[in-house]
Amino acid sequence: MNGELLGRVFLARVFEPGDETGGRWVRERGVPEVVRRLREGGRALPGVSGKRWAGLCARAGRADPRRDLAVARSAGARFVIPGTSEWPGQLDDLGDARPLGLWVRGGPSLRMWALRSVAVVGARACTEYGAHMATTLAAGLAERGWVVVSGGAYGIDGAAHRGALGAGGATAAVLACGVDRPYPPGHTALITRIAEQGLVVGELPPGDHPTPSRFILRNRVIAALTRGTVVVEAAYRSGSLVTARAARRLGRHVMGVPGPATSALSAGVHELLRGDAVLVGDAAEVVELVGAMGELPPERRGPVLPTDLLEPRTRHVLSGLPGRGTATAAEVARRAQTTGDDAIARLYELRALGYVERHGDGWKLTRQAMISVRGGRSPC
């Protein structure tokens, strides 16, 4: 069995996710040397206290990489390490905080899926609006061929995963625990379905449980793995803002879906948007940022009204009629800044189309014209 693989499985059991000191040791000394020193338990490597070194050595004494690999295989998982064909190169942007490796459940290639992926994250205790936006956003991304990445949690995460799955698309869940032990328990069926149709990913060895710090550290992987992060709902202290800040540090796109100004669950998103995050409202606007050059959203405009199809000078004559009452052709011509003859000719054209009526020497708008003219305007 590959010594580098076994060594990294061993170290994944010893170090906590994101341990930059351990990552520096691996970079400077190599995996075999760090493994040997931890197993021998002699003089501490530089950068840690004697107490912490003793704790690491105690963990090393209990580590059994072959057993971890066997448990993972029984759960349908594999361990992907740097330097192999499935390793996503963008994770290297994390420097010494880069994962030692990732446990992966699911058939697709993690590297290939990560090339075209977007994170959709947000509050666990989300509103109906937030769940709707996450679902439709994820479905739209999936329909456009993008992989939706989230954390498998309740609320926005779950809505994003379900939106992608419901659209027949691809989704990946990055967990803060062993990939063989879905968390939260209430999402066991969802995470199992993701593993069958997509990918379930995690740094922690099989059987390990989540802690508050592990959730926070997991978020850096979501940020690094994807082209950009969309925050749908988040209070000021939401963990999803950690993902957004990590994405910003890594040079990824940071996006936010706005909510009501009075909603505490959108306050964190609005704070992001006051900074350098970009406001998005649907999948097309997300793809415009994270996609290739030329992947632009459709032009945004209101509904096409019947009067939009009129020739511009005819519209000017129509706008010269008062909202109530009648006006003579001369008055209409003056308001439309045209001649009397031109105004009369266009008034008869508008009469044929059902927009105006003649009453003696005056002209007035029909009910049809009133509806059409006012249809594109706000009553406020």
Side-chain angles (χ1 to χ4, degrees), residues 234-245:
Y236 281 123
R237 293 176 58 83
S238 171
S240 57
L241 299 182
V242 175
T243 310
R245 287 191 286 267

Side-chain angles (χ1 to χ4, degrees), residues 1 4 17 24 32 42 53 61 68 75 83 87 91 104-105 141 154 156 176 193 200 256 261 281 328 372:
M1 188 176 289
E4 180 80 7
R24 188 181 73 250
W53 177 252
D68 283 340
W87 181 255
L91 290 175
V104 180
R105 284 176 64 194
L141 288 167
Y154 294 131
I156 297 300
R193 186 181 171 200
V200 175
T328 65
S372 179

Side-chain angles (χ1 to χ4, degrees), residues 38 42 89 149 196 210 275 350 378:
L38 285 164
V149 178
E196 292 170 349
L350 290 166
S378 169

Side-chain angles (χ1 to χ4, degrees), residues 12 98 124 147 282 294:
R98 178 184 72 173
R124 285 177 173 81
V147 177
D282 59 25

Side-chain angles (χ1 to χ4, degrees), residues 85-90 109-118 145-147 149 199 224-228 290-292:
S85 60
E86 197 180 349
W87 181 255
Q90 58 265 47
S109 164
L110 176 62
R111 175 176 171 270
M112 297 308 296
W113 270 31
L115 290 174
R116 193 174 167 87
S117 63
V118 178
W146 286 82
V147 177
V149 178
L199 291 172
L225 201 59
T226 53
R227 298 279 292 273
V290 301

Side-chain angles (χ1 to χ4, degrees), residues 43-44 64-65 79 92 123 136 143 152 154 161 163 178 220 224 248 258 263 281 312 316 320 323 336 348 352 358 365:
R43 185 167 54 87
D64 186 343
F79 194 60
D92 299 342
T136 55
E143 289 167 355
Y154 294 131
H161 290 307
R220 83 194 194 288
R248 182 186 292 123
S263 172
H316 289 159
Y348 275 98
R358 182 167 182 176
L365 293 172

Side-chain angles (χ1 to χ4, degrees), residues 22-379:
R24 188 181 73 250
W25 291 343
V26 168
R27 174 173 53 82
E28 294 175 348
R29 298 167 180 268
V31 169
E33 172 65 11
V34 177
V35 170
R36 184 185 67 80
R37 293 288 295 272
L38 285 164
R39 279 183 166 151
E40 289 177 353
R43 185 167 54 87
L45 287 167
V48 294
S49 65
K51 184 177 180 180
R52 181 161 180 238
W53 177 252
L56 292 173
C57 291
R59 279 191 172 195
R62 295 191 297 270
D64 186 343
R66 293 182 185 277
R67 181 186 61 199
D68 283 340
L69 286 169
V71 172
R73 277 195 299 271
S74 68
R78 59 193 180 276
F79 194 60
V80 177
I81 64 173
T84 59
S85 60
E86 197 180 349
W87 181 255
Q90 58 265 47
L91 290 175
D92 299 342
D93 293 346
L94 291 168
D96 289 339
R98 178 184 72 173
L100 291 158
L102 289 173
W103 301 92
V104 180
R105 284 176 64 194
S109 164
L110 176 62
R111 175 176 171 270
M112 297 308 296
W113 270 31
L115 290 174
R116 193 174 167 87
S117 63
V118 178
V120 180
V121 297
R124 285 177 173 81
C126 67
T127 65
E128 289 185 12
Y129 162 78
H132 170 76
M133 290 303 298
T135 301
T136 55
L137 192 68
L141 288 167
E143 289 167 355
R144 288 167 172 78
W146 286 82
V147 177
V148 176
V149 178
S150 200
Y154 294 131
I156 297 300
D157 288 15
H161 290 307
R162 291 187 181 95
L165 291 170
T171 188
V174 182
L175 305 185
C177 56
V179 295
D180 62 328
R181 185 171 294 182
Y183 186 90
H187 272 181
T188 297
L190 174 62
I191 292 171
T192 300
R193 186 181 171 200
I194 293 171
E196 292 170 349
Q197 296 184 220
L199 291 172
V200 175
V201 181
E203 285 182 82
L204 290 157
D208 263 19
H209 57 84
T211 64
S213 63
R214 288 173 170 179
F215 280 117
I216 296 299
L217 291 163
R218 178 273 311 272
N219 292 345
R220 83 194 194 288
V221 176
I222 295 176
L225 201 59
T226 53
R227 298 279 292 273
T229 293
V230 184
V231 184
V232 178
E233 277 188 325
Y236 281 123
R237 293 176 58 83
S238 171
S240 57
L241 299 182
V242 175
T243 310
R245 287 191 286 267
R248 182 186 292 123
R249 287 195 302 271
L250 292 166
R252 309 295 196 261
H253 294 285
V254 179
M255 295 153 278
V257 176
T262 55
S263 172
L265 280 175
S266 288
V269 180
H270 296 162
E271 191 67 20
L272 285 177
L273 294 173
R274 291 184 64 201
D276 54 4
V278 177
L279 187 152
V280 293
D282 59 25
E285 293 176 348
V286 174
V287 173
E288 181 185 17
L289 284 176
V290 301
M293 186 177 295
E295 292 189 70
L296 301 176
E299 182 182 355
R300 310 290 176 165
R301 56 174 297 170
V304 176
L305 301 173
T307 51
D308 293 336
L309 305 177
L310 296 174
E311 197 269 338
R313 287 183 297 175
T314 303
R315 282 204 304 273
H316 289 159
V317 169
L318 182 63
S319 65
L321 285 156
R324 293 181 181 178
T326 63
T328 65
E331 291 171 333
V332 172
R334 186 168 61 254
R335 292 171 182 166
Q337 298 181 5
T338 187
T339 65
D341 290 341
D342 182 59
I344 291 172
R346 296 187 186 279
L347 284 167
Y348 275 98
E349 178 185 336
L350 290 166
R351 181 186 182 187
L353 293 171
Y355 287 114
V356 300
E357 297 172 339
R358 182 167 182 176
H359 291 266
D361 291 334
W363 296 81
K364 67 178 293 185
L365 293 172
T366 63
R367 180 175 175 79
Q368 172 190 338
M370 295 290 287
I371 294 172
S372 179
V373 169
R374 293 174 180 173
R377 300 176 188 167
S378 169

